[in-house]
Amino acid sequence: MPTKLSLLDLAPIAAGQTARDSFEASVTLARAAEAAGFERVWYAEHHNMATIASSATSVVIGYVAAHTSTIRLGAGGIMLPNHSPLVIAEQFGTLETLFPGRIDLGLGRAPGSDQLTARALRRDHTAADTFPQDVLELQGYLAGRSVIPGVQAVPRAEQPVPLYVLGSSLFGAQLAAKLGLPYAFASHFAPDALHEAVRVYRTTFEPSAQLAEPYVIAGVNVIAADSHDEAVAQKTSAYRARTRAFISRGSVGRNYTDAEIDAFLASPGGQQLAQMTRYTAVGTPDEVRDYLAEFAESSQADELITAHHAQSVQDRVRSIELTGAAMAATAAA
């Protein structure tokens, strides 16, 4: 069966732009993904990050859903220890009621923030320890089988919102397998444990009411363009910007030159940062298609969720269009 293709929209706020600009860009990207035959678009929960607009993840999903027609939309993911399971069940029950058959709920246990922000979120530092129990509680609300007598999530959609466990370690793989849920691995920025986690998940999977067989989604970065040189230039620009944002934290007013960024990337510390995005497809549609096909086979992924990193919205849209067309042509062959 052909590998499904999806989109991870990181909802960036570019220099000189506003969060509103980011939301409009998310609509544009989702429409492009819908037209290109992508399965779903996911948004991640991050807090206290001036360059990411998806902190109120369920609100962003609802806004984009209202401006698209068929593509699935969801969280990749909601950091469940930041919230009560009941509140998340209410939010996603509302979304599924408004947009039936189009809503996903991916769940992670990381804070999605730094320690100071976690405190501002009123997050108990031990909250991650109860993540498995919280997933079960949330699942019960969504299915109308609450584990807390007398408490129900309202509204509850006719069909339960499908859950996905997100992770970048063996913990998530083991939990997803035990609960019989799909497993999404964050290999687009935390690649080290990918193959071992997928192996553990597939070999220990237990069927559930939601899922009869293992299902793996793997994250991968993509920059597709009409020419190889153009794609490489876009990658260089995008990853310089990413590195600049990373090393500028706490350096107010410091503007690192391209030469300084390149020197850092050549250093041991820079190499470690660069390794976070080792799974990146760059080039023409054919080159990207070949990379993604090999990556899907190596990772045993049923679905690839792609993060397109070109800095301009137009270039990201073009990357989505080219990638979708290339993968569709392979599936039809």
Side-chain angles (χ1 to χ4, degrees), residues 4-25:
K4 293 182 179 179
L5 193 64
S6 293
L7 174 65
L8 176 64
D9 180 0
L10 300 174
I13 303 174
Q17 295 190 326
T18 67
R20 176 75 190 204
D21 295 326
S22 176
F23 299 142
E24 296 307 317

Side-chain angles (χ1 to χ4, degrees), residues 1 4 14 41-42 46 57-58 64 90 105 110 128 140 145 167 171 204 207 209 213 227 247 250 258 303-305 318:
M1 186 173 67
K4 293 182 179 179
V41 184
W42 278 0
H46 294 284
T57 314
S58 59
V64 178
E90 290 169 342
L105 178 48
R145 296 189 295 271
F171 177 87
T204 62
E213 297 179 348
S227 74
I247 65 176
D258 287 348
E303 181 177 331
L304 300 180
I305 188 158
R318 186 60 177 155

